[in-house]
Every structure is written in structure tokens, then in C-alpha cells.
Amino acid sequence: MKRYGCMVCMFFVASCTSQENVSDVADQRTMYINDECYDSATYSLADSFDAFMVERQEELKILRAELSAENYEQLDYALRHFETYWDKLTNERNMACEQHATCQYIWLKNPELQSSNSFCDGTDFEYSVSRAKMINFFNDIERLQLERTVP
């Protein structure tokens, strides 16, 4: 009986130690992902987009008196749609970045994988595409301007 109790105790200690290691690894991975994907430098484009949209909303308010109610609603809807689409692109970028950072973390933590420089090529490509979509969309809408037509 004493032997059985000792084995249970060792199993319990091993389980707890293993659980701590799993938790520690998960925390390290989370910190790595946060450092790679959510540092302040990655949000400069988002800040530019937000500032751009505030400017467009202000322009629309100024033009409100000169627009029909229908035209105003259409323009307001379009601006809100741009913001919704931007949020979708941001979420896609964040997910792609997290997948890529996870792949990089696995690659860094496993020396046997480091002989393959192409291990994370797929996630790198997806992440690059998601960033390119954001930049292209921002460049496209940045060229839009609300203009008055003089009769």
C-alpha cells in the first residue's frame, strides 16, 4: 500500500511539474506573439487610417447643408463601410501575424527544425498578403475626396 501511495504521489508531482512547464511555454509563446504582432509600431497605419476617417467625417459634416438627405446618408454609409472593411482587414492581419509568430516560435524552440529555412514560408506569405491588403486599401481610399461641385 505504501508503494502504491508513493507512486500516486510521484505521478501527482510529475503532473504538476508538467502542467507548470506547459503553462510556462504557453505564456512564453503568448509573450512572443504579443511582441511580434502588437507592438506600437504596427499600429501606425491604423492611427493614420483613423485620422483619415475623422477628417472625412468632418468634411461630410461641413458639406451636410449642401447635400440632399439621401446623398448624405449614402456618403455616411460609405464611410462607415470603409471602417468596417478596415476592421476586417485588421483582424485578418492580426490572425495571420499570430499564426506566423506561432510558427516562428516553434521554429526557434526546435533546433531540429532550424535546418529548414522555409519552415514558416506559408505563414510568412499569408502575413505579407494581409499587410499588403491593408496598405492597398488605405492607399485607395486616401485618394478619395469629398468635393463640392459648383453649379
Side-chain angles (χ1 to χ4, degrees):
M1 181 72 169
K2 196 174 195 181
R3 190 176 200 183
Y4 177 73
C6 187
M7 286 176 47
V8 169
C9 183
M10 287 182 66
F11 176 73
F12 179 73
V13 170
S15 295
C16 290
T17 305
S18 176
Q19 198 65 8
E20 285 179 16
N21 289 341
V22 169
S23 178
D24 190 39
V25 169
D27 289 344
Q28 288 176 5
R29 184 181 62 89
T30 300
M31 286 176 40
Y32 184 84
I33 289 170
N34 286 336
D35 289 346
E36 290 294 311
C37 299
Y38 299 108
D39 68 352
S40 59
T42 58
Y43 286 101
S44 62
L45 187 59
D47 292 341
S48 298
F49 177 81
D50 292 341
F52 172 81
M53 292 308 293
V54 166
E55 290 172 9
R56 298 300 76 78
Q57 289 288 351
E58 291 301 316
E59 286 177 0
L60 185 58
K61 287 178 186 174
I62 291 168
L63 292 173
R64 185 174 195 153
E66 300 175 32
L67 299 171
S68 69
E70 182 181 353
N71 284 345
Y72 178 82
E73 289 301 318
Q74 289 172 342
L75 289 170
D76 185 55
Y77 175 80
L79 289 176
R80 283 186 280 126
H81 181 70
F82 290 153
E83 289 175 350
T84 301
Y85 189 66
W86 180 261
D87 289 342
K88 178 183 176 225
L89 291 176
T90 301
N91 288 336
E92 284 179 14
R93 178 240 167 243
N94 290 347
M95 289 178 66
C97 184
E98 287 182 17
Q99 289 175 348
H100 183 61
T102 299
C103 185
Q104 286 180 321
Y105 180 81
I106 291 168
W107 183 79
L108 288 170
K109 293 294 182 181
N110 293 293
E112 64 274 5
L113 296 175
Q114 291 179 5
S115 62
S116 171
N117 289 336
S118 62
F119 183 72
C120 293
D121 282 354
T123 58
D124 186 36
F125 176 75
E126 291 296 326
Y127 179 47
S128 295
V129 167
S130 70
R131 290 182 300 165
K133 284 178 168 179
M134 289 181 80
I135 292 168
N136 286 336
F137 177 69
F138 183 71
N139 286 339
D140 288 346
I141 66 159
E142 196 174 35
R143 286 180 248 158
L144 296 175
Q145 292 181 356
L146 299 177
E147 296 180 9
R148 292 179 213 173
T149 56
V150 180

